[in-house]
Amino acid sequence: MTLLRGSSVVLRPTAAADVPALAAIRDRPEVRARWGGGASLEADVAADLRDPDVNLFTVLLDDRIVGMAQWYAEDDPEYRHAGIDLFLDPTVHGRGLGTDTVRTMARHLTDDHGFHRLVIDPAADNAPAIRCYEKVGFRPVGVMRRYERGADGTWHDCLLMDLLADELVR
């Protein structure tokens, strides 16, 4: 099993047994507002786990599930890069765990998979997430206008950010 070790967190491939805990975190109002989801978040997380194009990792802090990070790849050789998404339990926000999670995943993608470029696309109004990603070395590329539909049914802007492998703040 691939274990990715950060300074505080451990990321391991998500297993079916993780689904209830991850669904409970996704059901927190702060997380649901950003990640959305249907009537059954367990079904949503289980569907993500079955998606062959997404690689899910459960984020652990002292052996406790505190979130999930996922990555996907654009494999066209002319545009090859990887993208990252994550959510953490709001009870652990503000402790640097997001930065540790993103840095750990970015190291894995650049060092182990050889990606030269990574992208991430937080909501444009999600200042804490943007600060977190900047600490790892991500830079704003531009605003993607009306990029995602929010839980309220309206379209919201996202900020496209990218990181080149040699810019990773280790």
Side-chain angles (χ1 to χ4, degrees):
M1 175 186 300
T2 303
L3 290 179
L4 308 178
R5 297 186 184 280
S7 59
S8 298
V9 298
V10 173
L11 283 62
R12 65 162 166 72
T14 299
D18 300 337
V19 169
L22 293 172
I25 295 169
R26 285 234 354 229
D27 198 31
R28 299 270 193 150
E30 303 95 318
V31 178
R32 191 182 266 275
R34 299 291 183 187
W35 274 72
S40 171
L41 290 176
E42 283 197 28
D44 291 348
V45 175
D48 291 343
L49 189 54
R50 291 189 303 272
D51 185 340
D53 295 326
V54 180
N55 303 278
L56 285 88
F57 283 78
T58 297
V59 180
L60 303 168
L61 176 65
D62 301 324
D63 296 321
R64 185 181 116 212
I65 294 175
V66 295
M68 187 188 77
Q70 62 185 30
W71 69 272
Y72 63 89
E74 168 57 65
D75 287 324
D76 181 325
E78 302 297 319
Y79 300 97
R80 186 173 187 269
H81 68 276
I84 302 172
D85 291 304
L86 72 144
F87 62 82
L88 293 178
D89 189 326
T91 64
V92 300
H93 285 183
R95 297 169 50 183
L97 301 179
T99 302
D100 193 23
T101 298
V102 173
R103 180 176 288 124
T104 302
M105 182 61 71
R107 271 197 329 257
H108 173 62
L109 294 172
T110 58
D111 297 352
D112 301 335
H113 290 278
F115 287 102
H116 78 286
R117 180 174 175 266
L118 307 177
V119 297
I120 199 160
D121 57 0
D125 67 351
N126 192 346
I130 293 166
R131 281 193 307 275
C132 165
Y133 307 149
E134 288 175 335
K135 289 177 188 175
V136 177
F138 280 88
R139 297 180 185 180
V141 174
V143 173
M144 298 182 293
R145 298 178 311 145
R146 296 183 190 163
Y147 181 71
E148 70 179 356
R149 189 183 307 268
D152 63 1
T154 63
W155 291 97
H156 300 270
D157 296 347
C158 286
L159 179 65
L160 177 62
M161 303 178 77
D162 73 358
L163 166 80
L164 300 179
D166 60 356
E167 297 169 343
L168 175 59
V169 177
R170 294 176 181 267

